[in-house]
Amino acid sequence: MKTLSLSYDVVVCGGGLAGFCAAVAAARHGAKVALVQDRPVLGGNASSEVRVTVHGATGFHAYARETGILSEVLIEERARNHEEVNENGWTNSVFDQVLYDVAQRTPGLTLHLNTAVQDVLLGDDEISGLAEISQRPLPDTTNGWYRRPACAPRKRIAAVVARVANAETQLTLRGKTFIDCTGDGLVADLAGCGWRMGSESKAQTGELHAPVDASTNTMGNSIHIRARDIGRPAPFTPPEWAKKIPDADFFHKKGRHLYDLRGGYWWIEIGMPWHTIHDNETIRHELTAWALAIWDWIKNHDETTKHRATNYALEWIGQVPGKRESRRVDGVYQLTEHDIQANVVHPDEIAYGGWFVDLHTPGGLLAENSEPAAGEGYKQDSEYAANSYVGPYGIPLRSSIAADVDNLLLAGRCVSATHAALGTVRVMATTALVGQAVGTGAALALAKGFPVSRLPEPGVIGELQQRLLRDGCFLPNVQHADGADLAPAASVTASSLALSHGVSPEGAWAAGGLGGGPDASRGWSLAKAAAQWIAVAGGRLETVSVCLDNRSGQSQRVRARLVCVEHIWDYRRGLPAVAETELLVPSGDDRWIDWPVALEAVPAGYLRLDLVSAEADIAVAPSWRFGRAILPGQVAAKEMSAKKLRRMEVGVSMAFRVVPAQPVYGPEQAVSGVFRPHRSTNLWRSDPAQPLPQSLQLAWKTPQRVAQVELTFPGHLLREIHAYPPFFRDPQTPRDYAIEAWIDGTWREVHVEKGNFQRHRRHALREAVTTDRIRILVHATNGDPSAALYEIRVYA
């Protein structure tokens, strides 16, 4: 056996998206980092071995896509990959290689692949955690769920011991800070941290989605399948040991929808009666036997699929189960569903979430029904849907600081959270944000020479938050406050700006290459409410008009209200109105109805226009036509419950007009300190009628030293990664641009960029310049007629 001892500043254990982002972030901030992964590829559940698609807040909230390192690699994957994303089961090796490429190009980061952590050495005397196991208390179930109390013999990890598969090599990896991203909380367990596993009861936590009874049950593990149309008949006979499907009701009446012959069935899932860690191999075999049975049913038995599936061949069955839940490690703070439902603002906010409270039914395929949302046919206005629709909400750093070991941080599904809270924070885009935050925090603590436990302190957390913002991570409740950024002190002008007139219901679907546009011939029935966010620049608003269809054969009334909202995810109904009326809608299609609101002092930001039928006894309510374009930062929503709206599908705008047109895409938006639509559009956008190049200029009263310019462009925010086709480069993103400085009475290029498709770019100038003016000159986009920019930062 070959043995090696290596030393690092930060050792990250687990190479899923949380661990990958943690390692890259720590290395980019100057730490010497080891990333230890027990598989041959990075990405964890998102890798080609497991093939779970990356979900997050934008599954439910327009413009809520997670940014930072995750965004960087997902944008790269879409630009390189020839395959569509589809659903689970379709990830190919391109994403693996994107992650591997970034890791290889990151200075200070060392990969240890095919390397499994086997032990933890604790304290200066390096006590073996593995050797201590027999002396530790066993997990008990007094509370109904597994509870292992803290039993760490020392308060500091000195090293992890790992074995390299097929290499007969044992590594001792010493570090100053360790980050457990193993999913199962393996490092924390070996170190003696307290943890819990299972489900707390409603009586114990008071949470809305906590089960009535506490138990050791967890959400299950899944494998996925992929099938392909090969153009000719592809017979299939399952092996004898495959399971047998009882009848069609198993699928069609119990929430196991056969929605795509190619696969993507997240519900191929099993947990209880098995333990999701210790019985992982048993679960893998059981899932394989079920997957073969499911494909047999699709191919040979189901009346709704077997004829369509004639030419489909099963080409892949996953053999690495993807886990949803196991150990949840005790942290300094335990995140609960109460935090999430109340949208609590945490002073140590370092990430955000917005996936729904997605708690799968224990047992999966062995349960009577699939998880609740699927079981009710994904109804979007049910009581369950309304109760589980949350966010975007902030996530505190304290839930990622281990309570029982001083130099251990957590990211991924093993963070400190209740079972109910885990239902939303466990999805990979969210865990990636947390990973980047703890990696950045680890590097900051090392640079400052203090323990990670001090990171949430006032005066410290602010610096971490500002680093995250500068690195492209959005924090809903944290403002730009980087005193080194010269841009906010400049006056900002532009060669032109786009005005917001509204959006028409006519023409081809114009959404920058995104598919899934609304049916041009229909709209949203106002039997249930719909809403449109309208960006306003402040000042006078004379008229708001809407395009409605009324096919009832008689005039109808529609109740209209304009309300001030805090941001684009303010879904509250019943807010005080700044104007309200009833609109009379004549019978017929394409009826533009004008509402002379005559508002004199509208605050800058967003108004929301809410419409709903005012008629009680009409069989066919008027419908509000969908717009045929996406108006940047101006989204629509629909009724979910009496108190709540939810995002309209595909992030569309409804058909509306405003007079006067609103200058909401002015150059000042690029120095608002926010780089996505939130409380305003936060976007400079040039007049699409004016040809490129277009420019945005910063000017200072006195000359400034300029050494680095950082830019955030639009693109890849509106929808989940599924919506973006192969080889996609977002049309909104500038492709060719230059940074110019005013020197000796003329504009001089100090940086030129060609072929860009990333949204967040940092440009260190070849030589620092002293100037009182710089400008960004956009020569070409990836297809959009407008040049556009969310944020510009300038540093000396």
Side-chain angles (χ1 to χ4, degrees):
M1 172 72 69
K2 181 180 179 181
T3 60
L4 291 173
S5 179
L6 303 169
S7 295
Y8 299 92
D9 295 324
V10 178
V11 178
V12 180
C13 300
L17 290 183
F20 170 82
C21 290
V24 171
R28 287 181 176 179
H29 282 278
K32 183 182 178 183
V33 180
L35 176 55
V36 185
Q37 165 71 330
D38 62 357
R39 305 301 305 171
V41 293
L42 297 167
N45 283 349
S47 74
S48 63
E49 289 192 313
V50 186
R51 303 191 181 188
V52 178
T53 46
V54 179
H55 287 296
T58 198
F60 294 86
H61 311 285
Y63 294 103
R65 226 348 235 276
E66 294 76 6
T67 46
I69 294 168
L70 177 66
S71 176
E72 177 186 331
V73 295
L74 289 179
I75 291 172
E76 184 72 33
E77 185 275 341
R78 282 294 78 201
R80 288 191 197 182
N81 208 331
H82 59 280
E83 288 272 26
E84 63 179 310
V85 175
N86 193 33
E87 236 316 336
N88 301 317
W90 270 60
T91 306
N92 61 18
S93 293
V94 173
F95 190 42
D96 299 342
Q97 291 304 308
V98 167
L99 298 178
Y100 190 73
D101 176 48
V102 170
Q104 291 296 330
R105 290 188 292 106
T106 300
L109 175 57
T110 300
L111 281 181
H112 296 282
L113 297 180
N114 291 304
T115 303
V117 173
Q118 296 185 320
D119 197 1
V120 168
L121 304 182
L122 298 155
D124 293 338
D125 48 353
E126 297 193 351
I127 293 174
S128 165
L130 188 63
E132 288 278 312
I133 283 181
S134 62
Q135 302 174 36
R136 295 178 183 175
L138 294 173
D140 71 68
T141 56
T142 303
N143 294 313
W145 29 270
Y146 293 117
R147 169 64 178 157
R148 207 282 294 278
C151 50
R154 300 289 187 271
K155 294 287 286 182
R156 189 181 65 82
I157 298 174
V160 295
V161 179
R163 186 182 178 105
V164 184
N166 304 312
E168 297 183 5
T169 299
Q170 180 172 289
L171 302 178
T172 300
L173 304 174
R174 290 183 167 80
K176 300 170 185 175
T177 300
F178 294 80
I179 305 177
D180 190 338
C181 303
T182 61
D184 289 334
L186 174 62
V187 175
D189 177 55
L190 289 169
C193 292
W195 53 260
R196 57 179 67 189
M197 181 173 170
S199 305
E200 300 92 346
S201 71
K202 193 178 295 291
Q204 290 168 336
T205 67
E207 294 167 305
L208 184 62
H209 286 89
V212 173
D213 298 316
S215 72
T216 57
N217 297 337
T218 63
M219 291 178 278
N221 303 352
S222 283
I223 64 171
H224 299 295
I225 64 173
R226 174 171 174 166
R228 188 184 294 276
D229 186 343
I230 63 171
R232 60 184 186 277
F236 176 78
T237 302
E240 292 183 0
W241 49 268
K243 302 293 182 181
K244 302 296 185 290
I245 302 298
D247 54 49
D249 289 356
F250 180 81
F251 298 101
H252 301 296
K253 293 185 179 180
K254 297 182 179 180
R256 301 177 182 100
H257 304 288
L258 301 172
Y259 41 74
D260 193 330
L261 293 179
R262 300 172 297 177
Y265 308 132
W266 56 263
W267 44 259
I268 304 178
E269 171 187 359
I270 293 175
M272 61 169 287
W274 292 289
H275 191 286
T276 55
I277 300 174
H278 301 149
D279 298 323
N280 189 55
E281 266 301 289
T282 299
I283 292 173
R284 181 201 57 77
H285 172 74
E286 290 292 315
L287 286 169
T288 302
W290 276 102
L292 291 166
I294 289 164
W295 185 245
D296 176 45
W297 183 268
I298 291 169
K299 284 282 295 183
N300 300 321
H301 303 286
D302 195 277
E303 295 298 328
T304 68
T305 64
K306 66 181 183 180
H307 301 296
R308 292 185 292 120
T310 298
N311 291 352
Y312 278 78
L314 184 63
E315 69 172 19
W316 181 82
I317 300 179
Q319 289 296 284
V320 180
K323 293 182 184 178
R324 292 178 176 85
E325 181 180 12
S326 54
R327 297 185 187 101
R328 294 172 280 117
V329 181
D330 292 352
V332 173
Y333 182 86
Q334 184 186 51
L335 188 69
T336 72
E337 189 186 357
H338 300 297
D339 295 309
I340 291 160
Q341 293 283 1
N343 216 334
V344 171
V345 176
H346 299 280
D348 58 332
E349 177 180 301
I350 45 80
Y352 68 93
W355 189 253
F356 78 117
V357 182
D358 183 10
L359 294 170
H360 288 216
T361 304
L365 290 168
L366 307 183
E368 180 65 21
N369 294 287
S370 182
E371 62 97 10
E376 62 180 23
Y378 296 108
K379 291 180 65 176
Q380 298 197 356
D381 56 358
S382 69
E383 181 180 3
Y384 173 81
N387 287 339
S388 61
Y389 194 86
V390 294
Y393 55 84
I395 298 172
L397 176 61
R398 288 164 293 152
S399 62
S400 287
I401 299 176
D404 306 314
V405 172
D406 293 340
N407 63 336
L408 179 62
L409 294 167
L410 314 165
R413 56 185 166 82
C414 63
V415 295
S416 182
T418 61
H419 168 75
L422 191 71
T424 169
V425 300
R426 66 182 174 82
V427 292
M428 285 186 286
T430 306
T431 66
L433 291 183
V434 176
Q436 181 166 353
V438 298
T440 304
L444 174 62
L446 287 166
K448 298 291 186 181
F450 54 64
V452 295
S453 59
R454 286 194 55 197
L455 286 170
E457 291 180 3
V460 177
I461 189 61
E463 183 172 353
L464 173 56
Q465 291 168 331
Q466 292 304 313
R467 286 192 182 194
L468 292 170
L469 292 178
R470 185 174 176 181
D471 290 343
C473 296
F474 174 69
L475 300 174
N477 301 294
V478 179
Q479 303 299 312
H480 174 291
D482 186 349
D485 180 10
L486 302 174
S491 61
V492 192
T493 56
S495 55
S496 70
L497 64 92
L499 296 174
S500 176
H501 299 268
V503 61
S504 169
E506 305 299 331
W509 172 237
L514 296 181
D519 185 341
S521 66
R522 70 178 185 89
W524 176 260
S525 171
L526 291 174
K528 292 203 169 188
Q532 172 66 47
W533 275 252
I534 300 174
V536 288
R540 181 170 176 77
L541 182 63
E542 297 174 7
T543 306
V544 175
S545 305
V546 293
C547 187
L548 306 178
D549 289 345
N550 178 4
R551 297 175 179 176
S552 68
Q554 63 189 83
S555 294
Q556 291 196 51
R557 294 169 299 121
V558 167
R559 188 174 299 113
R561 304 177 80 245
L562 274 174
V563 300
C564 288
V565 288
E566 293 184 4
H567 47 69
I568 62 167
W569 306 309
D570 188 347
Y571 303 116
R572 295 172 295 167
R573 299 185 68 193
L575 293 170
V578 296
E580 56 186 323
T581 192
E582 285 191 354
L583 305 174
L584 186 64
V585 186
S587 179
D589 286 352
D590 299 321
R591 299 293 190 178
W592 277 100
I593 311 298
D594 297 331
W595 178 15
V597 294
L599 296 174
E600 294 291 344
V602 177
Y606 284 109
L607 293 176
R608 194 182 72 212
L609 174 60
D610 295 353
L611 298 186
V612 68
S613 174
E615 307 288 353
D617 301 319
I618 299 294
V620 180
S623 59
W624 191 353
R625 291 288 300 276
F626 292 122
R628 297 299 290 161
I630 291 175
L631 197 57
Q634 302 190 58
V635 299
K638 58 189 177 184
E639 178 180 335
M640 189 176 209
S641 70
K643 295 181 179 181
K644 187 185 293 185
L645 300 165
R646 71 176 291 159
R647 181 198 67 178
M648 194 72 74
E649 285 81 4
V650 304
V652 299
S653 301
M654 308 306 290
F656 77 99
R657 296 191 295 231
V658 292
V659 176
Q662 297 293 301
V664 293
Y665 303 115
E668 73 284 351
Q669 298 285 349
V671 292
S672 69
V674 183
F675 40 82
R676 70 175 69 208
H678 188 216
R679 300 182 191 277
S680 64
T681 65
N682 299 309
L683 176 69
W684 167 64
R685 191 166 185 254
S686 71
D687 183 351
Q690 299 294 319
L692 298 175
Q694 293 287 314
S695 63
L696 179 137
Q697 176 180 301
L698 301 183
W700 294 273
K701 294 179 180 179
T702 58
Q704 306 289 319
R705 182 181 189 272
V706 175
Q708 182 148 318
V709 178
E710 302 178 3
L711 306 169
T712 303
F713 300 120
H716 286 274
L717 284 179
L718 181 64
R719 295 173 63 185
E720 283 198 291
I721 190 68
H722 305 63
Y724 298 84
F727 298 128
F728 183 75
R729 300 184 176 206
D730 200 303
Q732 303 169 84
T733 307
R735 186 191 72 201
D736 303 331
Y737 58 91
I739 302 171
E740 299 182 337
W742 184 258
I743 300 172
D744 297 332
T746 188
W747 287 108
R748 293 186 182 179
E749 288 183 344
V750 293
H751 182 85
V752 176
E753 193 71 24
K754 293 186 180 296
N756 174 62
F757 54 86
Q758 285 285 350
R759 66 180 305 274
H760 187 236
R761 299 301 309 271
R762 284 178 159 164
H763 300 299
L765 306 186
R766 294 186 299 272
E767 294 182 3
V769 297
T770 299
T771 181
D772 65 354
R773 275 170 278 176
I774 67 167
R775 69 179 181 180
I776 311 303
L777 191 64
V778 177
H779 293 282
T781 69
N782 283 286
D784 196 280
S786 291
L789 181 68
Y790 275 127
E791 183 178 60
I792 179 169
R793 291 180 177 225
V794 179
Y795 293 91

